[in-house]
Amino acid sequence: MEKTWRWFGKKDKITLPMLRQIGVEGIVTALHDVPNGEIWALEAIQSLKDYIESHQLRWSVVESLPVSEAIKYAGPERDQLIENYKVSLANLGKAGIKTVCYNFMPVIDWIRTDLEHPWEDGTSSLYFDKIRFAYFDCMILQREGAEKDYTDLELQQVRELDKTITEAEKNELVDTIIVKTQGFVNGNIKEGDRHPVTIFRRLLSLYDGIDRDALRENLRYFLQAVMPVCDEYGINMCIHPDDPPFQVLGLPRIVTGEEDINWLLHAVDNPHNGLTFCAGSLSAGLHNNVPLLARMFAHRTHFVHLRSTNAFPNGNFIEASHLGGRAHVIELIRIFEKERPGVPMRVDHGRMMLDDAGKGYNPGYSFHGRMMALAQIEGMMAVINEESKLKS
């Protein structure tokens, strides 16, 4: 597998020379300054590609070319936004960039309730606490009908939390769920927005009446429209699984496990319609056997995210060591090295450690934590490659 790294452009505090020193081969990035829905100009793409290549690296994957919300909920501007998307794809193809990671999660991308959950060794990682999330949903957001999504016991725990939670903790919960983890990903809500909860409620309302089947059909419509461009330029579209892989906030999630992925790949049965195999997202769902999914869908996987989680029966989950957790990363490497040699892979969501704190890194994207994870992955890859040589 090609060792890649998510890099947030020239403003990223982690520089390309730093990445060269730690063994990175390919860069995963995007035109982060272009608003969602606007065309990526060929000149801008080529300029960034040239900059990356001037550091003896390659632009391996676009993550991501965002799918605008109106495409997802089929707003009146959907067709124009899809046309813009097709032009951006064509420009990427003309520049020789052939792998595009995207997601089809309504309103909200990946969700956590704690960005610095402490471990005994002094490091910290991302964490999802279902009760704190339910508190945000029921008590802060006050979403209509939210209580129906939780058990009586969970609602009782929410009421108990309401007796002790402080205003500062409430504000931090809002900041964590809908600001810090979202602004650099989808641009829906940015740091500095004065009323993020009000904005978020309005975004949710756009999906009134959009159920699982409707969202699936909107995804099919989008993919059918862009596949001719992918065919022309050899571009692989790689959908990212939902994170977490279950329904939240009354919104349908349609890339959560085996049945969803099967539907997706057959709905538009084109080899350019493929998967970003995010082991961490999939492992956060207790219903998913991650190595089994890798064996089933390796042939349509064009990009791999290697990380792992520990998930619990109460609905909580935490980022695990890349050497542990439910993803069984070493087995995933065996599968993809055999079935998809050369596929781009990036380590994902490293711990905060050493002097990562206070550097202003995007949540989950620390330097030392991801560097340690990359070293662990390289070690596993070396073992597996040595095993292959001995067998032959």
Side-chain angles (χ1 to χ4, degrees), residues 197-207:
V197 173
T198 301
I199 297 170
F200 194 69
R201 288 193 187 108
R202 180 180 60 79
L203 289 167
L204 288 177
S205 72
L206 296 171
Y207 287 85

Side-chain angles (χ1 to χ4, degrees), residues 73 93 95 137 214 227:
Y73 65 76
D137 192 8
M227 279 299 111

Side-chain angles (χ1 to χ4, degrees), residues 309-329:
T309 65
N310 287 316
F312 308 102
N314 63 0
N316 296 357
F317 62 88
I318 191 168
E319 307 280 349
S321 164
H322 286 66
L323 297 173
R326 300 190 66 251
H328 305 288
V329 170

Side-chain angles (χ1 to χ4, degrees), residues 112-118 125-129 132 173 176:
R112 303 294 186 273
T113 57
D114 189 347
L115 303 181
E116 297 183 20
H117 189 79
S125 67
L126 306 171
Y127 183 68
F128 178 86
D129 183 304
R132 294 184 77 83
L173 201 54
T176 295

